[in-house]
Amino acid sequence: MAGTNSERDMIAEGPAIILVEPQLGENIGMVARAMANFGLAELRLVNPRDGWPSEKARAAAAKADHVIDGTKVFGTLEEALADLNFVYATTARQRDGFKPVRSPVTAAETLRQHFRAGAKTGILFGREKSGLTNEDVALADEIVTFPVNPAFASLNIAQAVLLMSYEWMKSGMSDVTATPFQEVDQAPSTKEELIGFFEHIEEALDARNYFHPPHKKAKMVDNLRAVLSRRAFTSPEIKVMRGVVSSLDRFRRRNGDPAADVSGQIVTGEEQDAGCDGK
């Protein structure tokens, strides 16, 4: 852990992200933002086209200033990799050679193992237009590739960094299904509260002559209570609720006879049984 941000612990550890000859400052900034999202902080640039520092990069980083401020620039890829022990090269296309090819999940787990052993690691990303050359890849230990649509395999550099950064964070989680926050804890309603709600809405509907004809009222109340006491709706239940909403809405717009809709018709129990919402 390093420093705090808005009184929360700031994670800043893990493999270095190395961008080879990046072009746009905006792309570098979005890479920094993706890194910060998932706890990476060490960004290395190899011969950035527009130089460094870059105000466009800082703006695009969306306050990931600790990444931007710590960015190191190198003249060659060999210099950028010199102090690292293990490096992955990212690529979307098949390469000739003898490098092991790993999935992002396997690569992240391998990087985590090296990290825990005290080794310095890195992930290599290529140029926006052409990616990594074979000579670049030759300097890495293994290749990592993403399971993308083969007909549309090109990834924006920030997207590629985001994917690997996400897998890196997951590799350090004891439970990958865990979430950073939970739903608000709310006390379940009592039966007294639920019955009070039933009586409240039934009284409001009764005042609007929803329970028509009268001999259907008991069955309609049973149906209504069954719907309102369940967590999931079926199609017939939706029709019941549509009848309720239609009754209240027509009463409000008509502002006259509570038993009449805007066309002067009555919404009856027979119509509800037939699945009609009064239209």
Side-chain angles (χ1 to χ4, degrees), residues 134-171:
N134 289 334
E135 290 76 14
D136 297 332
V137 174
L139 297 176
D141 296 278
E142 297 184 356
I143 290 173
V144 56
T145 190
F146 303 102
V148 294
N149 180 355
F152 200 80
S154 177
L155 283 174
N156 174 277
I157 188 171
Q159 293 174 325
V161 172
L162 180 73
L163 289 173
M164 281 307 304
S165 300
Y166 173 61
E167 292 298 340
W168 162 259
M169 174 160 276
K170 280 174 53 182
S171 70

PDB file of all heavy atoms in Angstrom, residues 134-171:
ATOM      1  N   ASN A 134       8.574  -8.532 -34.048  1.00  0.00           N
ATOM      2  CA  ASN A 134       9.137  -9.811 -33.608  1.00  0.00           C
ATOM      3  C   ASN A 134      10.375  -9.593 -32.751  1.00  0.00           C
ATOM      4  O   ASN A 134      10.643 -10.361 -31.818  1.00  0.00           O
ATOM      5  CB  ASN A 134       9.475 -10.678 -34.817  1.00  0.00           C
ATOM      6  CG  ASN A 134       8.234 -11.197 -35.517  1.00  0.00           C
ATOM      7  OD1 ASN A 134       7.174 -11.331 -34.901  1.00  0.00           O
ATOM      8  ND2 ASN A 134       8.350 -11.485 -36.807  1.00  0.00           N
ATOM      9  N   GLU A 135      11.123  -8.547 -33.062  1.00  0.00           N
ATOM     10  CA  GLU A 135      12.315  -8.234 -32.262  1.00  0.00           C
ATOM     11  C   GLU A 135      11.924  -7.826 -30.848  1.00  0.00           C
ATOM     12  O   GLU A 135      12.612  -8.173 -29.878  1.00  0.00           O
ATOM     13  CB  GLU A 135      13.120  -7.119 -32.938  1.00  0.00           C
ATOM     14  CG  GLU A 135      13.815  -7.515 -34.232  1.00  0.00           C
ATOM     15  CD  GLU A 135      12.851  -7.625 -35.411  1.00  0.00           C
ATOM     16  OE1 GLU A 135      11.683  -7.141 -35.281  1.00  0.00           O
ATOM     17  OE2 GLU A 135      13.248  -8.198 -36.442  1.00  0.00           O
ATOM     18  N   ASP A 136      10.825  -7.086 -30.720  1.00  0.00           N
ATOM     19  CA  ASP A 136      10.322  -6.709 -29.388  1.00  0.00           C
ATOM     20  C   ASP A 136       9.920  -7.951 -28.604  1.00  0.00           C
ATOM     21  O   ASP A 136      10.295  -8.123 -27.435  1.00  0.00           O
ATOM     22  CB  ASP A 136       9.101  -5.785 -29.509  1.00  0.00           C
ATOM     23  CG  ASP A 136       9.416  -4.467 -30.186  1.00  0.00           C
ATOM     24  OD1 ASP A 136      10.571  -4.011 -30.091  1.00  0.00           O
ATOM     25  OD2 ASP A 136       8.491  -3.895 -30.795  1.00  0.00           O
ATOM     26  N   VAL A 137       9.154  -8.800 -29.258  1.00  0.00           N
ATOM     27  CA  VAL A 137       8.651 -10.009 -28.598  1.00  0.00           C
ATOM     28  C   VAL A 137       9.802 -10.909 -28.155  1.00  0.00           C
ATOM     29  O   VAL A 137       9.740 -11.570 -27.116  1.00  0.00           O
ATOM     30  CB  VAL A 137       7.686 -10.767 -29.529  1.00  0.00           C
ATOM     31  CG1 VAL A 137       7.270 -12.107 -28.910  1.00  0.00           C
ATOM     32  CG2 VAL A 137       6.447  -9.923 -29.830  1.00  0.00           C
ATOM     33  N   ALA A 138      10.868 -10.919 -28.920  1.00  0.00           N
ATOM     34  CA  ALA A 138      12.015 -11.779 -28.600  1.00  0.00           C
ATOM     35  C   ALA A 138      12.638 -11.428 -27.257  1.00  0.00           C
ATOM     36  O   ALA A 138      13.288 -12.276 -26.626  1.00  0.00           O
ATOM     37  CB  ALA A 138      13.062 -11.673 -29.707  1.00  0.00           C
ATOM     38  N   LEU A 139      12.428 -10.209 -26.786  1.00  0.00           N
ATOM     39  CA  LEU A 139      13.003  -9.783 -25.505  1.00  0.00           C
ATOM     40  C   LEU A 139      12.150 -10.189 -24.320  1.00  0.00           C
ATOM     41  O   LEU A 139      12.578 -10.066 -23.166  1.00  0.00           O
ATOM     42  CB  LEU A 139      13.192  -8.261 -25.501  1.00  0.00           C
ATOM     43  CG  LEU A 139      14.172  -7.703 -26.535  1.00  0.00           C
ATOM     44  CD1 LEU A 139      14.184  -6.175 -26.485  1.00  0.00           C
ATOM     45  CD2 LEU A 139      15.576  -8.258 -26.290  1.00  0.00           C
ATOM     46  N   ALA A 140      10.952 -10.690 -24.589  1.00  0.00           N
ATOM     47  CA  ALA A 140      10.067 -11.126 -23.505  1.00  0.00           C
ATOM     48  C   ALA A 140      10.276 -12.601 -23.208  1.00  0.00           C
ATOM     49  O   ALA A 140      10.864 -13.347 -24.000  1.00  0.00           O
ATOM     50  CB  ALA A 140       8.609 -10.863 -23.895  1.00  0.00           C
ATOM     51  N   ASP A 141       9.771 -13.027 -22.048  1.00  0.00           N
ATOM     52  CA  ASP A 141       9.884 -14.437 -21.663  1.00  0.00           C
ATOM     53  C   ASP A 141       8.734 -15.269 -22.217  1.00  0.00           C
ATOM     54  O   ASP A 141       8.932 -16.406 -22.655  1.00  0.00           O
ATOM     55  CB  ASP A 141       9.895 -14.560 -20.135  1.00  0.00           C
ATOM     56  CG  ASP A 141      11.103 -13.887 -19.525  1.00  0.00           C
ATOM     57  OD1 ASP A 141      12.173 -14.515 -19.504  1.00  0.00           O
ATOM     58  OD2 ASP A 141      10.976 -12.723 -19.074  1.00  0.00           O
ATOM     59  N   GLU A 142       7.528 -14.701 -22.202  1.00  0.00           N
ATOM     60  CA  GLU A 142       6.352 -15.409 -22.681  1.00  0.00           C
ATOM     61  C   GLU A 142       5.408 -14.421 -23.356  1.00  0.00           C
ATOM     62  O   GLU A 142       5.559 -13.202 -23.224  1.00  0.00           O
ATOM     63  CB  GLU A 142       5.634 -16.132 -21.526  1.00  0.00           C
ATOM     64  CG  GLU A 142       6.479 -17.221 -20.871  1.00  0.00           C
ATOM     65  CD  GLU A 142       5.713 -17.984 -19.789  1.00  0.00           C
ATOM     66  OE1 GLU A 142       4.554 -17.606 -19.496  1.00  0.00           O
ATOM     67  OE2 GLU A 142       6.282 -18.948 -19.240  1.00  0.00           O
ATOM     68  N   ILE A 143       4.442 -14.973 -24.071  1.00  0.00           N
ATOM     69  CA  ILE A 143       3.447 -14.168 -24.774  1.00  0.00           C
ATOM     70  C   ILE A 143       2.104 -14.316 -24.070  1.00  0.00           C
ATOM     71  O   ILE A 143       1.730 -15.404 -23.609  1.00  0.00           O
ATOM     72  CB  ILE A 143       3.317 -14.624 -26.238  1.00  0.00           C
ATOM     73  CG1 ILE A 143       4.576 -14.256 -27.024  1.00  0.00           C
ATOM     74  CG2 ILE A 143       2.081 -14.033 -26.909  1.00  0.00           C
ATOM     75  CD1 ILE A 143       4.599 -14.821 -28.436  1.00  0.00           C
ATOM     76  N   VAL A 144       1.361 -13.228 -23.974  1.00  0.00           N
ATOM     77  CA  VAL A 144      -0.014 -13.284 -23.493  1.00  0.00           C
ATOM     78  C   VAL A 144      -0.909 -12.736 -24.593  1.00  0.00           C
ATOM     79  O   VAL A 144      -0.598 -11.731 -25.227  1.00  0.00           O
ATOM     80  CB  VAL A 144      -0.211 -12.481 -22.185  1.00  0.00           C
ATOM     81  CG1 VAL A 144       0.207 -11.027 -22.328  1.00  0.00           C
ATOM     82  CG2 VAL A 144      -1.663 -12.575 -21.712  1.00  0.00           C
ATOM     83  N   THR A 145      -1.993 -13.435 -24.886  1.00  0.00           N
ATOM     84  CA  THR A 145      -2.919 -13.008 -25.928  1.00  0.00           C
ATOM     85  C   THR A 145      -4.333 -13.081 -25.392  1.00  0.00           C
ATOM     86  O   THR A 145      -4.637 -13.865 -24.479  1.00  0.00           O
ATOM     87  CB  THR A 145      -2.767 -13.885 -27.181  1.00  0.00           C
ATOM     88  OG1 THR A 145      -3.512 -13.286 -28.258  1.00  0.00           O
ATOM     89  CG2 THR A 145      -3.253 -15.304 -26.952  1.00  0.00           C
ATOM     90  N   PHE A 146      -5.214 -12.270 -25.963  1.00  0.00           N
ATOM     91  CA  PHE A 146      -6.578 -12.141 -25.451  1.00  0.00           C
ATOM     92  C   PHE A 146      -7.563 -12.913 -26.315  1.00  0.00           C
ATOM     93  O   PHE A 146      -7.431 -12.938 -27.549  1.00  0.00           O
ATOM     94  CB  PHE A 146      -6.992 -10.665 -25.418  1.00  0.00           C
ATOM     95  CG  PHE A 146      -6.067  -9.798 -24.613  1.00  0.00           C
ATOM     96  CD1 PHE A 146      -5.127  -8.994 -25.240  1.00  0.00           C
ATOM     97  CD2 PHE A 146      -6.110  -9.788 -23.235  1.00  0.00           C
ATOM     98  CE1 PHE A 146      -4.266  -8.189 -24.518  1.00  0.00           C
ATOM     99  CE2 PHE A 146      -5.253  -8.993 -22.491  1.00  0.00           C
ATOM    100  CZ  PHE A 146      -4.327  -8.194 -23.133  1.00  0.00           C
ATOM    101  N   PRO A 147      -8.572 -13.516 -25.707  1.00  0.00           N
ATOM    102  CA  PRO A 147      -9.595 -14.237 -26.482  1.00  0.00           C
ATOM    103  C   PRO A 147     -10.593 -13.253 -27.086  1.00  0.00           C
ATOM    104  O   PRO A 147     -11.655 -12.991 -26.521  1.00  0.00           O
ATOM    105  CB  PRO A 147     -10.254 -15.141 -25.428  1.00  0.00           C
ATOM    106  CG  PRO A 147     -10.095 -14.383 -24.136  1.00  0.00           C
ATOM    107  CD  PRO A 147      -8.788 -13.644 -24.246  1.00  0.00           C
ATOM    108  N   VAL A 148     -10.246 -12.686 -28.234  1.00  0.00           N
ATOM    109  CA  VAL A 148     -11.090 -11.682 -28.872  1.00  0.00           C
ATOM    110  C   VAL A 148     -11.758 -12.247 -30.125  1.00  0.00           C
ATOM    111  O   VAL A 148     -11.422 -13.339 -30.584  1.00  0.00           O
ATOM    112  CB  VAL A 148     -10.253 -10.433 -29.246  1.00  0.00           C
ATOM    113  CG1 VAL A 148      -9.754  -9.733 -27.995  1.00  0.00           C
ATOM    114  CG2 VAL A 148      -9.081 -10.816 -30.137  1.00  0.00           C
ATOM    115  N   ASN A 149     -12.689 -11.490 -30.655  1.00  0.00           N
ATOM    116  CA  ASN A 149     -13.352 -11.843 -31.900  1.00  0.00           C
ATOM    117  C   ASN A 149     -12.294 -11.920 -33.002  1.00  0.00           C
ATOM    118  O   ASN A 149     -11.652 -10.914 -33.318  1.00  0.00           O
ATOM    119  CB  ASN A 149     -14.398 -10.769 -32.225  1.00  0.00           C
ATOM    120  CG  ASN A 149     -15.147 -11.051 -33.522  1.00  0.00           C
ATOM    121  OD1 ASN A 149     -14.847 -12.001 -34.246  1.00  0.00           O
ATOM    122  ND2 ASN A 149     -16.121 -10.216 -33.820  1.00  0.00           N
ATOM    123  N   PRO A 150     -12.091 -13.066 -33.608  1.00  0.00           N
ATOM    124  CA  PRO A 150     -11.029 -13.193 -34.613  1.00  0.00           C
ATOM    125  C   PRO A 150     -11.231 -12.277 -35.810  1.00  0.00           C
ATOM    126  O   PRO A 150     -10.264 -11.927 -36.495  1.00  0.00           O
ATOM    127  CB  PRO A 150     -11.101 -14.675 -35.027  1.00  0.00           C
ATOM    128  CG  PRO A 150     -12.461 -15.134 -34.623  1.00  0.00           C
ATOM    129  CD  PRO A 150     -12.818 -14.345 -33.403  1.00  0.00           C
ATOM    130  N   ALA A 151     -12.463 -11.870 -36.071  1.00  0.00           N
ATOM    131  CA  ALA A 151     -12.726 -10.975 -37.191  1.00  0.00           C
ATOM    132  C   ALA A 151     -12.524  -9.511 -36.815  1.00  0.00           C
ATOM    133  O   ALA A 151     -12.546  -8.642 -37.680  1.00  0.00           O
ATOM    134  CB  ALA A 151     -14.154 -11.179 -37.699  1.00  0.00           C
ATOM    135  N   PHE A 152     -12.318  -9.241 -35.523  1.00  0.00           N
ATOM    136  CA  PHE A 152     -12.100  -7.873 -35.056  1.00  0.00           C
ATOM    137  C   PHE A 152     -11.210  -7.944 -33.832  1.00  0.00           C
ATOM    138  O   PHE A 152     -11.655  -7.745 -32.700  1.00  0.00           O
ATOM    139  CB  PHE A 152     -13.431  -7.199 -34.733  1.00  0.00           C
ATOM    140  CG  PHE A 152     -13.355  -5.694 -34.713  1.00  0.00           C
ATOM    141  CD1 PHE A 152     -13.371  -4.971 -35.889  1.00  0.00           C
ATOM    142  CD2 PHE A 152     -13.260  -5.017 -33.522  1.00  0.00           C
ATOM    143  CE1 PHE A 152     -13.302  -3.590 -35.883  1.00  0.00           C
ATOM    144  CE2 PHE A 152     -13.189  -3.637 -33.493  1.00  0.00           C
ATOM    145  CZ  PHE A 152     -13.213  -2.917 -34.679  1.00  0.00           C
ATOM    146  N   ALA A 153      -9.944  -8.256 -34.046  1.00  0.00           N
ATOM    147  CA  ALA A 153      -9.043  -8.598 -32.952  1.00  0.00           C
ATOM    148  C   ALA A 153      -8.255  -7.420 -32.411  1.00  0.00           C
ATOM    149  O   ALA A 153      -7.603  -7.535 -31.367  1.00  0.00           O
ATOM    150  CB  ALA A 153      -8.067  -9.687 -33.413  1.00  0.00           C
ATOM    151  N   SER A 154      -8.302  -6.278 -33.095  1.00  0.00           N
ATOM    152  CA  SER A 154      -7.480  -5.144 -32.679  1.00  0.00           C
ATOM    153  C   SER A 154      -8.037  -4.486 -31.427  1.00  0.00           C
ATOM    154  O   SER A 154      -9.222  -4.155 -31.359  1.00  0.00           O
ATOM    155  CB  SER A 154      -7.416  -4.115 -33.810  1.00  0.00           C
ATOM    156  OG  SER A 154      -6.677  -2.977 -33.410  1.00  0.00           O
ATOM    157  N   LEU A 155      -7.165  -4.311 -30.431  1.00  0.00           N
ATOM    158  CA  LEU A 155      -7.546  -3.660 -29.181  1.00  0.00           C
ATOM    159  C   LEU A 155      -6.851  -2.314 -29.071  1.00  0.00           C
ATOM    160  O   LEU A 155      -5.677  -2.180 -29.402  1.00  0.00           O
ATOM    161  CB  LEU A 155      -7.146  -4.510 -27.975  1.00  0.00           C
ATOM    162  CG  LEU A 155      -7.992  -5.733 -27.629  1.00  0.00           C
ATOM    163  CD1 LEU A 155      -7.335  -6.499 -26.491  1.00  0.00           C
ATOM    164  CD2 LEU A 155      -9.401  -5.340 -27.243  1.00  0.00           C
ATOM    165  N   ASN A 156      -7.569  -1.311 -28.590  1.00  0.00           N
ATOM    166  CA  ASN A 156      -6.944  -0.057 -28.212  1.00  0.00           C
ATOM    167  C   ASN A 156      -5.947  -0.345 -27.104  1.00  0.00           C
ATOM    168  O   ASN A 156      -6.168  -1.205 -26.252  1.00  0.00           O
ATOM    169  CB  ASN A 156      -8.026   0.916 -27.744  1.00  0.00           C
ATOM    170  CG  ASN A 156      -7.456   2.198 -27.185  1.00  0.00           C
ATOM    171  OD1 ASN A 156      -7.070   2.255 -26.020  1.00  0.00           O
ATOM    172  ND2 ASN A 156      -7.417   3.229 -27.986  1.00  0.00           N
ATOM    173  N   ILE A 157      -4.827   0.383 -27.090  1.00  0.00           N
ATOM    174  CA  ILE A 157      -3.771   0.085 -26.123  1.00  0.00           C
ATOM    175  C   ILE A 157      -4.262   0.212 -24.687  1.00  0.00           C
ATOM    176  O   ILE A 157      -3.906  -0.588 -23.819  1.00  0.00           O
ATOM    177  CB  ILE A 157      -2.537   0.987 -26.372  1.00  0.00           C
ATOM    178  CG1 ILE A 157      -1.369   0.526 -25.497  1.00  0.00           C
ATOM    179  CG2 ILE A 157      -2.862   2.449 -26.152  1.00  0.00           C
ATOM    180  CD1 ILE A 157      -0.063   1.219 -25.848  1.00  0.00           C
ATOM    181  N   ALA A 158      -5.104   1.194 -24.416  1.00  0.00           N
ATOM    182  CA  ALA A 158      -5.635   1.356 -23.063  1.00  0.00           C
ATOM    183  C   ALA A 158      -6.567   0.202 -22.696  1.00  0.00           C
ATOM    184  O   ALA A 158      -6.597  -0.238 -21.541  1.00  0.00           O
ATOM    185  CB  ALA A 158      -6.380   2.690 -22.935  1.00  0.00           C
ATOM    186  N   GLN A 159      -7.306  -0.310 -23.687  1.00  0.00           N
ATOM    187  CA  GLN A 159      -8.168  -1.462 -23.428  1.00  0.00           C
ATOM    188  C   GLN A 159      -7.338  -2.688 -23.066  1.00  0.00           C
ATOM    189  O   GLN A 159      -7.678  -3.443 -22.145  1.00  0.00           O
ATOM    190  CB  GLN A 159      -9.030  -1.760 -24.654  1.00  0.00           C
ATOM    191  CG  GLN A 159     -10.051  -0.692 -24.980  1.00  0.00           C
ATOM    192  CD  GLN A 159     -10.766  -0.973 -26.281  1.00  0.00           C
ATOM    193  OE1 GLN A 159     -10.174  -1.502 -27.237  1.00  0.00           O
ATOM    194  NE2 GLN A 159     -12.032  -0.612 -26.359  1.00  0.00           N
ATOM    195  N   ALA A 160      -6.258  -2.898 -23.804  1.00  0.00           N
ATOM    196  CA  ALA A 160      -5.389  -4.040 -23.533  1.00  0.00           C
ATOM    197  C   ALA A 160      -4.774  -3.944 -22.139  1.00  0.00           C
ATOM    198  O   ALA A 160      -4.716  -4.931 -21.391  1.00  0.00           O
ATOM    199  CB  ALA A 160      -4.291  -4.134 -24.591  1.00  0.00           C
ATOM    200  N   VAL A 161      -4.326  -2.740 -21.779  1.00  0.00           N
ATOM    201  CA  VAL A 161      -3.763  -2.547 -20.435  1.00  0.00           C
ATOM    202  C   VAL A 161      -4.832  -2.762 -19.381  1.00  0.00           C
ATOM    203  O   VAL A 161      -4.580  -3.370 -18.329  1.00  0.00           O
ATOM    204  CB  VAL A 161      -3.146  -1.136 -20.313  1.00  0.00           C
ATOM    205  CG1 VAL A 161      -2.738  -0.852 -18.870  1.00  0.00           C
ATOM    206  CG2 VAL A 161      -1.931  -1.014 -21.234  1.00  0.00           C
ATOM    207  N   LEU A 162      -6.043  -2.297 -19.645  1.00  0.00           N
ATOM    208  CA  LEU A 162      -7.138  -2.481 -18.690  1.00  0.00           C
ATOM    209  C   LEU A 162      -7.408  -3.961 -18.434  1.00  0.00           C
ATOM    210  O   LEU A 162      -7.575  -4.386 -17.289  1.00  0.00           O
ATOM    211  CB  LEU A 162      -8.398  -1.802 -19.224  1.00  0.00           C
ATOM    212  CG  LEU A 162      -9.637  -1.898 -18.326  1.00  0.00           C
ATOM    213  CD1 LEU A 162      -9.488  -0.988 -17.116  1.00  0.00           C
ATOM    214  CD2 LEU A 162     -10.890  -1.533 -19.103  1.00  0.00           C
ATOM    215  N   LEU A 163      -7.434  -4.747 -19.512  1.00  0.00           N
ATOM    216  CA  LEU A 163      -7.706  -6.177 -19.357  1.00  0.00           C
ATOM    217  C   LEU A 163      -6.639  -6.864 -18.498  1.00  0.00           C
ATOM    218  O   LEU A 163      -6.954  -7.651 -17.597  1.00  0.00           O
ATOM    219  CB  LEU A 163      -7.783  -6.847 -20.728  1.00  0.00           C
ATOM    220  CG  LEU A 163      -9.010  -6.515 -21.581  1.00  0.00           C
ATOM    221  CD1 LEU A 163      -8.865  -7.116 -22.971  1.00  0.00           C
ATOM    222  CD2 LEU A 163     -10.275  -7.024 -20.916  1.00  0.00           C
ATOM    223  N   MET A 164      -5.380  -6.577 -18.776  1.00  0.00           N
ATOM    224  CA  MET A 164      -4.316  -7.211 -18.004  1.00  0.00           C
ATOM    225  C   MET A 164      -4.278  -6.692 -16.567  1.00  0.00           C
ATOM    226  O   MET A 164      -4.007  -7.448 -15.627  1.00  0.00           O
ATOM    227  CB  MET A 164      -2.962  -6.993 -18.684  1.00  0.00           C
ATOM    228  CG  MET A 164      -2.698  -7.905 -19.859  1.00  0.00           C
ATOM    229  SD  MET A 164      -2.898  -9.675 -19.477  1.00  0.00           S
ATOM    230  CE  MET A 164      -1.755  -9.896 -18.101  1.00  0.00           C
ATOM    231  N   SER A 165      -4.563  -5.410 -16.381  1.00  0.00           N
ATOM    232  CA  SER A 165      -4.586  -4.846 -15.028  1.00  0.00           C
ATOM    233  C   SER A 165      -5.697  -5.480 -14.204  1.00  0.00           C
ATOM    234  O   SER A 165      -5.524  -5.771 -13.015  1.00  0.00           O
ATOM    235  CB  SER A 165      -4.775  -3.323 -15.097  1.00  0.00           C
ATOM    236  OG  SER A 165      -3.727  -2.701 -15.805  1.00  0.00           O
ATOM    237  N   TYR A 166      -6.830  -5.704 -14.835  1.00  0.00           N
ATOM    238  CA  TYR A 166      -7.960  -6.355 -14.157  1.00  0.00           C
ATOM    239  C   TYR A 166      -7.596  -7.777 -13.753  1.00  0.00           C
ATOM    240  O   TYR A 166      -7.867  -8.202 -12.615  1.00  0.00           O
ATOM    241  CB  TYR A 166      -9.165  -6.346 -15.085  1.00  0.00           C
ATOM    242  CG  TYR A 166     -10.354  -7.124 -14.575  1.00  0.00           C
ATOM    243  CD1 TYR A 166     -10.991  -6.775 -13.391  1.00  0.00           C
ATOM    244  CD2 TYR A 166     -10.860  -8.209 -15.296  1.00  0.00           C
ATOM    245  CE1 TYR A 166     -12.092  -7.493 -12.932  1.00  0.00           C
ATOM    246  CE2 TYR A 166     -11.946  -8.921 -14.845  1.00  0.00           C
ATOM    247  CZ  TYR A 166     -12.565  -8.563 -13.666  1.00  0.00           C
ATOM    248  OH  TYR A 166     -13.650  -9.281 -13.218  1.00  0.00           O
ATOM    249  N   GLU A 167      -6.990  -8.510 -14.679  1.00  0.00           N
ATOM    250  CA  GLU A 167      -6.599  -9.883 -14.350  1.00  0.00           C
ATOM    251  C   GLU A 167      -5.539  -9.891 -13.246  1.00  0.00           C
ATOM    252  O   GLU A 167      -5.528 -10.785 -12.393  1.00  0.00           O
ATOM    253  CB  GLU A 167      -6.083 -10.606 -15.585  1.00  0.00           C
ATOM    254  CG  GLU A 167      -7.148 -10.874 -16.640  1.00  0.00           C
ATOM    255  CD  GLU A 167      -8.270 -11.774 -16.142  1.00  0.00           C
ATOM    256  OE1 GLU A 167      -8.078 -12.492 -15.145  1.00  0.00           O
ATOM    257  OE2 GLU A 167      -9.358 -11.743 -16.746  1.00  0.00           O
ATOM    258  N   TRP A 168      -4.650  -8.893 -13.251  1.00  0.00           N
ATOM    259  CA  TRP A 168      -3.652  -8.803 -12.190  1.00  0.00           C
ATOM    260  C   TRP A 168      -4.330  -8.641 -10.832  1.00  0.00           C
ATOM    261  O   TRP A 168      -3.990  -9.331  -9.869  1.00  0.00           O
ATOM    262  CB  TRP A 168      -2.700  -7.639 -12.457  1.00  0.00           C
ATOM    263  CG  TRP A 168      -1.931  -7.223 -11.229  1.00  0.00           C
ATOM    264  CD1 TRP A 168      -2.186  -6.153 -10.416  1.00  0.00           C
ATOM    265  CD2 TRP A 168      -0.824  -7.917 -10.642  1.00  0.00           C
ATOM    266  NE1 TRP A 168      -1.308  -6.125  -9.372  1.00  0.00           N
ATOM    267  CE2 TRP A 168      -0.456  -7.199  -9.486  1.00  0.00           C
ATOM    268  CE3 TRP A 168      -0.112  -9.063 -10.984  1.00  0.00           C
ATOM    269  CZ2 TRP A 168       0.594  -7.589  -8.664  1.00  0.00           C
ATOM    270  CZ3 TRP A 168       0.948  -9.451 -10.169  1.00  0.00           C
ATOM    271  CH2 TRP A 168       1.285  -8.725  -9.028  1.00  0.00           C
ATOM    272  N   MET A 169      -5.286  -7.733 -10.740  1.00  0.00           N
ATOM    273  CA  MET A 169      -5.966  -7.527  -9.460  1.00  0.00           C
ATOM    274  C   MET A 169      -6.703  -8.792  -9.032  1.00  0.00           C
ATOM    275  O   MET A 169      -6.666  -9.191  -7.865  1.00  0.00           O
ATOM    276  CB  MET A 169      -6.927  -6.355  -9.538  1.00  0.00           C
ATOM    277  CG  MET A 169      -7.766  -6.184  -8.272  1.00  0.00           C
ATOM    278  SD  MET A 169      -8.482  -4.547  -8.054  1.00  0.00           S
ATOM    279  CE  MET A 169      -7.079  -3.707  -7.278  1.00  0.00           C
ATOM    280  N   LYS A 170      -7.381  -9.451  -9.966  1.00  0.00           N
ATOM    281  CA  LYS A 170      -8.105 -10.679  -9.640  1.00  0.00           C
ATOM    282  C   LYS A 170      -7.175 -11.750  -9.090  1.00  0.00           C
ATOM    283  O   LYS A 170      -7.552 -12.516  -8.199  1.00  0.00           O
ATOM    284  CB  LYS A 170      -8.822 -11.219 -10.882  1.00  0.00           C
ATOM    285  CG  LYS A 170     -10.133 -10.529 -11.205  1.00  0.00           C
ATOM    286  CD  LYS A 170     -10.698 -11.022 -12.522  1.00  0.00           C
ATOM    287  CE  LYS A 170     -10.810 -12.524 -12.573  1.00  0.00           C
ATOM    288  NZ  LYS A 170     -11.332 -12.993 -13.893  1.00  0.00           N
ATOM    289  N   SER A 171      -5.957 -11.808  -9.625  1.00  0.00           N
ATOM    290  CA  SER A 171      -5.024 -12.859  -9.197  1.00  0.00           C
ATOM    291  C   SER A 171      -4.624 -12.711  -7.736  1.00  0.00           C
ATOM    292  O   SER A 171      -4.130 -13.667  -7.134  1.00  0.00           O
ATOM    293  CB  SER A 171      -3.770 -12.840 -10.086  1.00  0.00           C
ATOM    294  OG  SER A 171      -2.979 -11.686  -9.825  1.00  0.00           O
TER     295      SER A 171
END
